[in-house]
Amino acid sequence: MKTSETLAQSVASLSGIGSQSVIRLEKLGVHTVQDLLFHLPLRYQDRTKIYPINTLLPGMSVLSCGTVEFTDVLMKGRRSLICRISDQTGFLSLKFFHFSAKQQAILSPGTLISCFGEVRQGYQGLEIVHPEYKVISSTDNITEPCLTPIYPLTDGLRQATVRKAVNQAISLCLKDQQTICDYLPQSVLENKQYPSLNQALLSLHQPEQQLSTQQLQQGNSPALKRLAFEELLAHHLSLLKNKKAIKKWQAAVFNIDKLLSQSFLNALPFQLTRAQQRVIDEIVSDLSSSHPMLRLIQGDVGSGKTIVAAYACLLAISSQYQVAIMAPTELLAEQHLGNFKQWFKDFDSHIVYLTGQLKGKARQQALIDIEDGTASIIIGTHALFQDSVIFNKLGLIIIDEQHRFGVHQRLALREKGQHKNTRPHQLVMTATPIPRTLAMLQYSDLDISIIDELPPGRRPVTTRVIPSERREQVIAKINQWTVNKHQTYWVCTLIEESDVLQCEAAEKTTEYLTQILPDVKIALIHGRMKSAEKEAIMFGFKNHDYDLLVATTVIEVGVDVPNASLMIVENAERLGLSQLHQLRGRVGRGDQESYCLLMYQSPLSETGRHRLGVLRETNDGFVIAEKDLELRGPGDVMGTRQTGQMQLKIADLNRDLELLDDVQEAANIICSQYPQAIQPIIDRWLGQSTLYSEV
Ligand code: ADP
Ligand code: MG
């Protein structure tokens, strides 16, 4: 049989793998022989040599041998069985809390045994608690030829079963001439001095003795690096492939009416910044091509992304196409609705609002308008991609604060607009800058525009980091702010992402502040309020009916009230830097000096201090994102678990970040010189999940 066929075989074909084991292996994502080869050990045990007892140190997990001196049941403290063994160099205690009389009998004085386990310091010298042990007749032939791999397991699956299966897979596919196909070009392997795939897999399952366990454990072995590299490469290639695939689709060409766009811009109360103008030009050029645009706008909070989106919207509706604008929260959707109504009031447009809260007749009417084409601009939340929503002629999709949406939601909306061989254009916007290195793993299927300039006249927000013991002073500041006719946000956070608890905390805080600040008009807003209620409160706050708005993190995105110039964030140490930066972006929108007070619960950890310090020192979202990456690691910054976008099997971004530049270079080489390798690499690593990496 050819290796490729063997690789594709079910694990059921291996001896020792019954139907129960098949099910258990499937839970680990292991279906085929190839999957087994890529099912790598979590760690290793060293049973390659016998350690004399006097060379043992606490913390070591090694193999030792000795003769039993005595075995006793100890009644002091917790009942235990103590077996003392010795070799010529010293003695070692083996300790059991769970034991049987039979065990006690076996471990009789004079018996030679081997044992394995983690050594620790006991009251009477070194000991191993619950070691593995075996009665032996001599110390010959008890060592293993290579480090012992420890595989990830699931309930009921035994280490020995997996080991045996992997060994068979290795014999079938990695030994002798049978070589698993290596798709990495020779030049890349040589350049990085990587082992071949065959060698890499072999050395991870059956490590050569000269590889230290430590090196393997820390993921520093060339073999592991090579596999991590290939996995990251697969993700990157898959995005690049999607980018190319998009261009095979057709899309509506939007014509630009110079007069119309001039009158639109002239009606604005401000002039576009150069950065906004540049990004608009990029979008205009995309929209005048007959292939779908897929563009990401990155721009710091307050950089003015919305008006850029509105301009794209104008182009679409003046070419008689519909536009769908999706925002992550109702609050933000409502605010967009207000802005768009204002901006488009003198233009031929019919704006429809659709969120989950819209019910009954109003909802029916909205759906009818969307379907028969009466609606030209449809603004809403993720309710927009429900099955009942049928667009008439969707030409452009705008997704605001895209990092808040799951990949599935984005895909669903795009599929809605799909029609024969055409697809809508897509514009996604985010205020969470992604560090350059990570962008290539998340966004290399998108074209990226950056608005790197804030509208003129903005003053940076002054940020202070304050322990919660100084709460009184902070509250006094609110009084002073109110007297000066400025407004304040008070943001309540919690550790758990629990809506209910967060709202409760906000309610309590509101009661408390109402008591001690009798002259301050206070309102409360949280995620569990009805849409109309929230709208009324936001409107009231904007209108300065209230001086202080107590809020949960619902106000994180988008909210725009220029007269609010003081923000207090409680338990700031619990939030990510980028999220705090987002929150802070709610102030500093007017022309007066603004402050953000980050309150923390003492004591603050060293990292916590460092992190909050970053916010005090800079207002630049890109710098903050880089710092966040440095301090929290990529996992948290990308929020991969949240989006389920990248399920890395072997690579660990916290460990392998430095590979990314080379991954990009290798991808370029493969795309230009070895395009036939692209699909096999993607298939090998992403398999079924390819769809989800499509943004
Ligand atoms: P974000 O990029 O955070 O979404 P917005 O689009 O909400 O920012 O814009 C923030 C505020 O700045 C809004 O009040 C908007 O009207 C205003 N704005 C946008 N562009 C300009 C500009 N070029 N000059 C002055 N103000 C602007
Ligand atoms: Mg915005």
Side-chain angles (χ1 to χ4, degrees), residues 424-462:
H425 296 285
Q426 239 190 105
L427 188 63
V428 296
M429 307 195 282
T430 179
T432 309
I434 287 282
R436 191 186 53 86
T437 39
L438 294 185
M440 81 166 248
L441 278 182
Q442 256 191 331
Y443 296 131
S444 32
D445 56 339
L446 306 175
D447 293 308
I448 297 183
S449 294
I450 296 179
I451 305 184
D452 51 3
E453 184 183 356
L454 293 180
R458 295 271 170 78
R459 296 216 213 153
V461 179
T462 306

Side-chain angles (χ1 to χ4, degrees), residues 126-142:
L126 296 178
E127 63 180 24
I128 303 180
V129 177
H130 285 281
E132 287 173 39
Y133 67 91
K134 225 194 247 165
V135 175
I136 51 175
S137 52
S138 86
T139 52
D140 298 340
N141 297 326
I142 64 162

Side-chain angles (χ1 to χ4, degrees), residues 183-327:
Y183 301 116
L184 284 193
Q186 200 58 35
S187 62
V188 173
L189 289 176
E190 276 167 19
N191 183 13
K192 300 277 296 177
Q193 297 188 317
Y194 280 147
S196 72
L197 180 60
N198 204 80
Q199 271 172 335
L201 288 171
L202 203 54
S203 85
L204 288 169
H205 289 295
Q206 302 178 345
E208 304 106 32
Q209 260 155 329
Q210 65 265 34
L211 271 179
S212 75
T213 23
Q214 201 190 16
Q215 201 185 11
L216 280 166
Q217 228 88 285
Q218 294 173 346
N220 279 333
S221 71
L224 196 70
K225 281 281 174 207
R226 184 232 131 97
L227 292 178
F229 180 87
E230 190 172 325
E231 183 176 32
L232 294 170
L233 178 67
H235 280 273
H236 185 48
L237 284 173
S238 145
L239 290 177
L240 292 178
K241 188 187 137 209
N242 287 342
K243 184 170 186 177
K244 236 175 145 183
I246 300 269
K247 300 295 169 203
K248 294 205 186 99
W249 290 79
Q250 296 293 306
V253 175
F254 297 157
N255 302 308
I256 307 148
D257 182 333
K258 278 255 150 56
L259 274 174
L260 192 75
S261 72
Q262 262 321 311
S263 65
F264 182 79
L265 294 176
N266 288 342
L268 295 178
F270 49 75
Q271 276 214 315
L272 295 178
T273 61
R274 263 167 316 180
Q276 284 171 320
Q277 189 57 59
R278 188 187 68 239
V279 174
I280 281 182
D281 291 345
E282 287 165 352
I283 292 171
V284 167
S285 135
D286 287 347
L287 295 181
S288 55
S289 115
S290 58
H291 299 292
M293 164 175 81
L294 190 47
R295 187 170 285 280
L296 172 73
I297 305 183
Q298 282 194 16
D300 217 336
V301 275
S303 61
K305 294 181 287 294
T306 323
I307 189 64
V308 171
Y311 190 90
C313 190
L314 176 74
L315 299 189
I317 63 168
S318 62
S319 298
Q320 275 70 54
Y321 278 88
Q322 287 178 310
V323 183
I325 301 170
M326 182 160 82

Side-chain angles (χ1 to χ4, degrees), residues 305-306 332 336 400-401 558:
K305 294 181 287 294
T306 323
L332 193 53
H336 284 335
D400 195 14
E401 305 297 346

